[in-house]
Amino acid sequence: MPISQVAAAAALLLAIGSSAAFVPPISLQARPVNLDTTTITALHASKSSNNRDVEASLPSFLRSAAATAALAAAIWSGPSVIVGPALSSSSSSTNIPSGITSALVANAKEMASGSGSRVNKDPESLLRYGLPIDNKDVRQLQPVIEEIRQDISTKRKSAAMDGVKKARAMMKGKAADKMTKACKEPTKCAAILDGMVADLDPLEAALSESLNANRGSEQERKAQDAAYGAQDKLQKKLTDLEEQMVPSGYVTPVPDDYADLPQLRGRATVEMVLKKGDGGPFDVEGTNYPEARMKMIIDGYTAPVTGGNFIDLVNKGFYDKMEIQRSDGFVVQTGDPSGEADGYVGTPSKSVGAGKHGERLIPLETFLKGDKGPFYETTMEDEGRGGQATVLPFSSYGAMGWARDEYEPNSGSSQFFWLLFDSDLTPAGKNVLDGRYPVFGYVVEGADFLRDTKEGDIIVSAKVTDGIKNLIQPK
């Protein structure tokens, strides 16, 4: 009798689970398991070579199911002990090497996790959708502009040209008036819109040149690069426009219980420099770099307590000279200081308390789409809202999540991880992380360095380069 894909996947997971390679994501009793002589703990979800051979022979849908179960098992057994994208060559502030390009292509069709067949992997797009604004005109303009980049990457040149024409029409007349009126400073937004319209001219010219060039020629390559550059400038102005639409004085509501913890009201930028523990270079797709530089946007609109905790620790120099403590193909994780403490030791919150070694703990923070603010100290499954979309999802390579003990929602302190996103591991509508761990930011430049970041590599420095004024310390 024919077997359905769902039944086959379930059978596979049960078979794999019986050999202790994976634990299905629905199991909340995940513990370290033994596979031959290998112990699998925390985020490590390794497999024996025999299982890899079996996996390679499986149909793709079964491999996808197994991969999802693997990540679920790894995360459910905790990215903790106690708490345990594309790179822009146009930015000069972080000195990201221009030779690195991300293997991920932004797709802005799907606005967040939880539904749809396509996943938005673009961290800057996700951050724009995470802004607390409700202007319909700019929300209609955003996917048009972002889809142009997708069309450039797939060489759908005529479609990209159509997108330029559509965007131009949307930035004039009544729609433009509505967008400027929604801004804190309407005259500033009017200037931004004028700049965006002007940016369409070089974009259109580059697309036209690419369209007329021979496929695969040097002329086409140069025209494509010019189109990417022009579209990038356009997107950055779009971000400026949307940030102007955040209501003046807006503060994400946080219960008074957490007033004795640092909070981030708005956003901040963090830049990190990493070096190899053995002094060697970072190898990114065959090119060597003496150091890794990453730029991260930390979002206090969605995660004011988690983001505030991180920015406070960065500002204190807590992560400087700290080693990377995990790198297993799923995540890169750090934040566990030397000594007996598993996190940052500091003045604890009265409501959350301290860890067993005096660690300052923070509550689990979850913000779902459609809510007015985050809820705390519980997962979305515990709230009976499993499957709903979070405002910021784990759908971008380098998404930043806060680590905690799997059974203790208020056990996070200073450990965090970068997710090495793979669509097989976190498929649309089946994300096993959203609502269980908070996303508090994304790597927006330098994410490809995470591909060669290993245990023992060192964070030379972590600095807040913008937005420190948005960090509110307890009174």
Side-chain angles (χ1 to χ4, degrees), residues 458-469:
I458 299 167
I459 299 173
V460 177
S461 65
K463 298 184 183 303
V464 182
T465 57
D466 187 42
I468 191 63
K469 65 181 182 298

Side-chain angles (χ1 to χ4, degrees), residues 146-260:
E146 292 174 347
E147 188 69 17
I148 294 171
R149 191 172 190 85
Q150 173 74 4
D151 290 332
I152 294 171
S153 70
T154 56
K155 295 189 176 181
R156 297 178 69 245
K157 302 170 188 179
S158 295
M161 292 282 279
D162 290 341
V164 170
K165 293 175 182 177
K166 187 174 181 180
R168 194 186 299 277
M170 295 174 74
M171 288 189 283
K172 294 181 178 180
K174 292 182 180 180
D177 291 340
K178 290 179 181 178
M179 284 188 279
T180 55
K181 289 178 181 178
C183 293
K184 294 188 285 283
E185 302 174 76
T187 55
K188 188 171 184 178
C189 280
I192 293 172
L193 279 169
D194 288 343
M196 293 174 70
V197 172
D199 285 342
L200 292 174
D201 293 334
L203 175 57
E204 191 170 32
L207 288 170
S208 179
E209 184 176 350
S210 177
L211 193 61
N212 295 326
N214 292 327
R215 196 171 187 87
S217 67
E218 181 67 12
Q219 182 186 7
E220 184 194 46
R221 186 191 66 77
K222 289 182 178 180
Q224 287 284 103
D225 287 347
Y228 272 121
Q231 197 276 346
D232 188 60
K233 290 181 180 179
L234 183 64
Q235 284 198 159
K236 291 188 183 308
K237 287 186 174 69
L238 175 64
T239 297
D240 293 339
L241 178 67
E242 293 192 10
E243 287 178 344
Q244 268 285 319
M245 294 180 180
V246 176
S248 182
Y250 176 87
V251 175
T252 301
V254 175
D256 292 339
D257 291 347
Y258 312 121
D260 54 359

Side-chain angles (χ1 to χ4, degrees), residues 392-445:
L392 294 185
F394 280 102
S395 65
S396 176
Y397 194 91
M400 301 175 71
W402 207 254
R404 64 174 179 86
D405 182 83
E406 61 173 313
Y407 301 107
E408 296 294 336
N410 295 350
S411 57
S413 177
S414 58
Q415 294 191 41
F416 71 96
F417 59 91
W418 291 279
L419 178 68
L420 308 182
F421 174 81
D422 185 302
S423 57
D424 283 339
L425 299 180
T426 47
K430 297 181 177 66
N431 194 311
V432 298
L433 300 180
D434 291 340
R436 297 175 179 90
Y437 300 89
V439 172
F440 65 97
Y442 296 105
V443 179
V444 296
E445 295 179 19

Side-chain angles (χ1 to χ4, degrees), residues 18-250:
S18 67
S19 65
F22 302 111
V23 180
I26 58 172
S27 172
L28 302 185
Q29 304 301 319
R31 296 295 189 201
V33 295
N34 290 323
L35 175 61
D36 299 328
T37 58
T38 302
T39 299
I40 303 174
T41 58
L43 281 174
H44 297 278
S46 58
K47 299 179 288 181
S48 70
S49 59
N50 290 337
N51 274 343
R52 282 195 293 270
D53 294 338
V54 171
E55 182 187 354
S57 67
L58 295 172
S60 60
F61 78 90
L62 292 181
R63 290 199 301 271
S64 176
T68 302
L71 181 63
I75 297 296
W76 276 119
S77 52
S80 57
V81 178
I82 178 179
V83 273
L87 301 177
S88 173
S89 61
S90 63
S91 173
S92 59
S93 61
T94 54
N95 297 314
I96 301 296
S98 59
I100 296 181
T101 56
S102 174
L104 297 175
V105 176
N107 179 359
K109 281 281 191 178
E110 177 59 34
M111 297 182 190
S113 62
S115 64
S117 60
R118 301 174 72 180
V119 179
N120 187 351
K121 302 176 184 179
D122 180 355
E124 295 188 64
S125 170
L126 293 167
L127 286 165
R128 283 190 286 270
Y129 279 121
L131 288 169
I133 62 177
D134 59 3
N135 184 273
K136 293 181 180 179
D137 294 283
V138 82
R139 283 292 183 238
Q140 292 171 355
L141 174 64
Q142 180 178 336
V144 173
I145 290 176
E146 292 174 347
E147 188 69 17
I148 294 171
R149 191 172 190 85
Q150 173 74 4
D151 290 332
I152 294 171
S153 70
T154 56
K155 295 189 176 181
R156 297 178 69 245
K157 302 170 188 179
S158 295
M161 292 282 279
D162 290 341
V164 170
K165 293 175 182 177
K166 187 174 181 180
R168 194 186 299 277
M170 295 174 74
M171 288 189 283
K172 294 181 178 180
K174 292 182 180 180
D177 291 340
K178 290 179 181 178
M179 284 188 279
T180 55
K181 289 178 181 178
C183 293
K184 294 188 285 283
E185 302 174 76
T187 55
K188 188 171 184 178
C189 280
I192 293 172
L193 279 169
D194 288 343
M196 293 174 70
V197 172
D199 285 342
L200 292 174
D201 293 334
L203 175 57
E204 191 170 32
L207 288 170
S208 179
E209 184 176 350
S210 177
L211 193 61
N212 295 326
N214 292 327
R215 196 171 187 87
S217 67
E218 181 67 12
Q219 182 186 7
E220 184 194 46
R221 186 191 66 77
K222 289 182 178 180
Q224 287 284 103
D225 287 347
Y228 272 121
Q231 197 276 346
D232 188 60
K233 290 181 180 179
L234 183 64
Q235 284 198 159
K236 291 188 183 308
K237 287 186 174 69
L238 175 64
T239 297
D240 293 339
L241 178 67
E242 293 192 10
E243 287 178 344
Q244 268 285 319
M245 294 180 180
V246 176
S248 182
Y250 176 87

Side-chain angles (χ1 to χ4, degrees), residues 116 124 207 256 267 276 326 341 352 365 379:
E124 295 188 64
L207 288 170
D256 292 339
R267 288 177 174 170
K276 283 289 180 183
R326 295 186 183 184
V352 182
E365 186 172 44
T379 67

